Amino acid sequence: MVDEKKSMAIIAHSGTMDKLFPVFMLASTAASSGVQVRIFFTFWGLNALKKGGLEKAKLPGLMRIGTGMMKGKMKKANVPSLTEMLKMCRETGNVTIYACSTSMELMDVKKEDLIPEVDDIVGAATFTEIASLQFTYSSD
Amino acid sequence: MANNEAYHIDLEVDVRNYSCPVPVFKLNQAIDKVKAGQNVKVLATDPGTKKDFEAWTKLKGHKLLHFSEEKGVFIYIIQKAE
């Protein structure tokens, strides 16, 4: 029996907390629904993949002062943190995380600076190939 | 007596006071723990679960056996497909 799995590609371009939230919320929810999720972190998104990056992510611009308050609001509403959602993503086994090779060069980020959850460092062509693939599985 | 009590429950999940993405994530974890044909009962308060759980059962191929609302709490019973 051939079972076609759905896939979803997410581009994470920003490193601010507000823009990282939809990345991880969509990824964890889609992954929990059986969708293969591939996330491509590029430019400022790479900051989220640095060790401690997710915890340090702040609200953009002048709103950065309000980050603590927002985090408090989220805790009260039982909204998981970015780090918790990353963990949820890994638990589903359906999320693959890619760092953009060009961005790493431009932003002077080395492999050792990244968190272990990063699956691979790739360029745009590779990510396009991966993201446009439709997986088919046989189940018994 | 709500007729959700007519079903045999193999695993119960309480995600009351949690909103997206927690309900779907916990439901998925629970479905992985039970066998095909078994039932998972979910208690939720997030109104988003009405559409989210429907989408999830469609994506994963499981069956929503029962849905009811009691004093602001949504009760779902989902059966794991073969």
Side-chain angles (χ1 to χ4, degrees):
Chain A
M1 187 180 116
V2 175
D3 188 25
E4 226 174 49
K5 274 206 170 183
K6 292 194 179 355
S7 66
M8 176 191 272
I10 300 174
I11 314 298
H13 167 274
S14 173
T16 59
M17 189 182 92
D18 61 322
K19 296 193 191 70
L20 286 168
F21 255 91
V23 169
F24 284 98
M25 286 205 129
L26 287 168
S28 55
T29 310
S32 299
S33 308
V35 175
Q36 294 292 314
V37 183
R38 277 65 75 87
I39 318 179
F40 190 57
F41 285 84
T42 184
F43 251 90
W44 311 117
L46 274 186
N47 288 332
L49 294 185
K50 285 196 214 160
K51 297 196 171 98
L54 285 177
E55 292 83 1
K56 285 201 217 131
K58 299 202 177 22
L59 292 179
L62 293 170
M63 291 189 273
R64 63 190 286 134
I65 314 165
T67 305
M69 200 169 76
M70 178 61 87
K71 282 193 175 179
K73 256 184 145 181
M74 287 176 155
K75 203 157 185 216
K76 253 185 137 179
N78 284 322
V79 176
S81 67
L82 293 172
T83 317
E84 282 163 4
M85 285 197 284
L86 171 63
K87 197 164 169 246
M88 285 157 72
C89 285
R90 297 321 277 185
E91 278 181 35
T92 62
N94 285 332
V95 182
T96 326
I97 292 174
Y98 299 95
C100 169
S101 50
T102 307
S103 293
M104 283 189 67
E105 242 190 270
L106 291 172
M107 322 253 309
D108 225 352
V109 178
K110 290 173 218 73
K111 192 168 178 204
E112 310 85 76
D113 302 330
L114 301 176
I115 49 177
E117 285 87 347
V118 178
D119 293 291
D120 209 350
I121 298 165
V122 297
T126 310
F127 184 71
T128 304
E129 198 209 340
I130 295 166
S132 53
L133 271 177
Q134 244 191 325
F135 286 86
T136 51
Y137 292 80
S138 319
S139 50
D140 44 4
Chain B
M1 184 191 92
N3 62 4
N4 71 71
E5 283 160 45
Y7 297 97
H8 172 73
I9 305 300
D10 298 286
L11 187 57
E12 187 169 306
V13 178
D14 186 351
V15 287
R16 287 175 294 180
N17 297 317
Y18 285 93
S19 43
C20 179
V22 178
V24 167
F25 178 74
K26 295 263 174 187
L27 168 57
N28 192 50
Q29 274 189 324
I31 278 290
D32 280 347
K33 289 197 189 131
V34 300
K35 297 204 256 279
Q38 289 191 317
N39 299 336
V40 173
K41 179 175 176 181
V42 185
L43 299 173
T45 49
D46 176 17
T49 53
K50 278 195 244 180
K51 284 231 162 116
D52 276 357
F53 281 12
E54 201 191 313
W56 181 89
T57 50
K58 265 205 207 127
L59 279 166
K60 298 216 65 168
H62 301 305
K63 200 167 171 202
L64 178 64
L65 292 178
H66 170 92
F67 167 75
S68 61
E69 185 180 344
E70 231 167 276
K71 297 181 200 150
V73 179
F74 303 113
I75 301 167
Y76 298 89
I77 298 177
I78 291 143
Q79 186 179 63
K80 182 168 184 173
E82 308 295 325

